[in-house]
Amino acid sequence: DTGVSQDPRHKITKRGQNVTFRCDPISEHNRLYWYRQTLGQGPEFLTYFQNEAQLEKSRLLSDRFSAERPKGSFSTLEIQRTEQGDSAMYLCASSSFRQSTGELFFGEGSRLTVL
Amino acid sequence: AQTVTQSQPEMSVQEAETVTLSCTYDTSESDYYLFWYKQPPSRQMILVIRQEAYKQQNATENRFSVNFQKAAKSFSLKISDSQLGDAAMYFCAYIPNNNDMRFGAGTRLTVKP
């Protein structure tokens, strides 16, 4: 399977704990995106990378959030000192900069529940 | 600011009938892409159809077609011959000049047998 994969699919944690999500994009894609989606809402942009460079960050991405893509392949999204408001689905998507259509390919998401 | 508005939180259609989902967007760009994505319950987002803003011809993919009105900044999705498998959340999305994609709040489509 060469689609976007995310791990873990589900994470339940207690408030104040740190969590980390991993995303493996489609192998030839050099752009990688993180979105957050709450129940009944559309995905909200968090950040994106082109290769290993983080090109844009949303104001939604507070200081407790950090994303990395150290070798331009997989990416991690870490949330420190989790709060109940962080409960959401975290979606990863990838695309090819050379692709003229701009389509994003999504993973199945990582669902976070903060108790 | 670039925003995407879907004014229909929920829509319902009878199987085999046609339904149209609405989307408007706000942008100062002249070159951009528009998309409709489908998100079935507990499943990943998949692309339904895309439209390049520089193309006047409306995109069509089998039973799915769009009505793109650039001046009005409107991008509606028409689903013909609706099937039970079309039931899902549908998101309108906009991407300017190959940058990050922005989504509307979604429309939940129910298909009645």
Side-chain angles (χ1 to χ4, degrees):
Chain A
D1 183 19
T2 58
V4 178
S5 62
Q6 293 188 243
D7 183 72
R9 295 287 311 282
H10 303 275
K11 178 71 176 180
I12 300 174
T13 190
K14 293 182 179 179
R15 187 176 55 184
Q17 299 294 304
N18 299 343
V19 296
T20 299
F21 300 114
R22 175 180 170 125
C23 172
D24 287 89
I26 293 171
S27 58
E28 62 268 26
H29 285 180
N30 55 355
R31 283 199 168 184
L32 186 148
Y33 302 76
W34 286 100
Y35 286 84
R36 182 175 71 186
Q37 186 178 25
T38 53
L39 196 63
Q41 297 298 314
E44 298 172 296
F45 170 77
L46 293 178
T47 187
Y48 87 92
F49 294 83
Q50 182 163 308
N51 300 313
E52 65 275 10
Q54 189 172 18
L55 296 188
E56 188 174 346
K57 293 171 61 175
S58 163
R59 282 173 287 183
L60 292 174
L61 214 64
S62 75
D63 292 344
R64 297 185 296 105
F65 288 70
S66 62
E68 295 182 344
R69 194 183 183 198
K71 297 182 180 179
S73 56
F74 74 91
S75 175
T76 58
L77 176 68
E78 181 183 17
I79 308 174
Q80 297 182 324
R81 305 181 302 282
T82 53
E83 301 173 356
Q84 288 184 327
D86 297 331
S87 295
M89 178 75 84
Y90 290 85
L91 299 173
C92 178
S94 69
S95 72
S96 170
F97 180 69
R98 295 181 185 82
Q99 180 184 328
S100 63
T101 60
E103 176 185 355
L104 300 190
F105 295 81
F106 284 84
E108 296 192 47
S110 293
R111 181 172 296 283
L112 173 65
T113 301
V114 182
L115 302 176
Chain B
Q2 294 142 349
T3 59
V4 180
T5 302
Q6 293 180 248
S7 59
Q8 305 154 317
E10 296 185 356
M11 289 287 284
S12 178
V13 63
Q14 203 70 35
E15 193 176 6
E17 297 295 310
T18 296
V19 64
T20 298
L21 309 184
S22 302
C23 173
T24 58
Y25 58 95
D26 182 26
T27 184
S28 56
E29 304 282 343
S30 59
D31 189 19
Y32 49 88
Y33 301 97
L34 295 162
F35 304 84
W36 279 97
Y37 276 86
K38 172 184 177 181
Q39 188 178 40
S42 301
R43 298 189 63 183
Q44 69 196 104
M45 303 258 286
I46 56 174
L47 179 70
V48 175
I49 196 166
R50 73 169 71 87
Q51 174 81 42
E52 292 92 336
Y54 66 87
K55 289 186 177 179
Q56 293 187 345
Q57 186 174 6
N58 289 323
T60 300
E61 288 286 343
N62 301 315
R63 298 182 296 107
F64 299 88
S65 61
V66 299
N67 183 4
F68 173 48
Q69 302 290 328
K70 189 172 184 179
K73 297 179 183 175
S74 171
F75 182 62
S76 61
L77 174 70
K78 185 171 81 171
I79 306 174
S80 304
D81 186 25
S82 297
Q83 300 176 359
L84 295 177
D86 295 334
M89 284 291 289
Y90 286 82
F91 294 100
C92 178
Y94 156 90
I95 187 167
N97 293 323
N98 221 11
N99 289 320
D100 59 276
M101 187 175 285
R102 307 288 172 147
F103 290 83
T107 296
R108 182 177 302 280
L109 178 66
T110 302
V111 181
K112 297 180 179 178

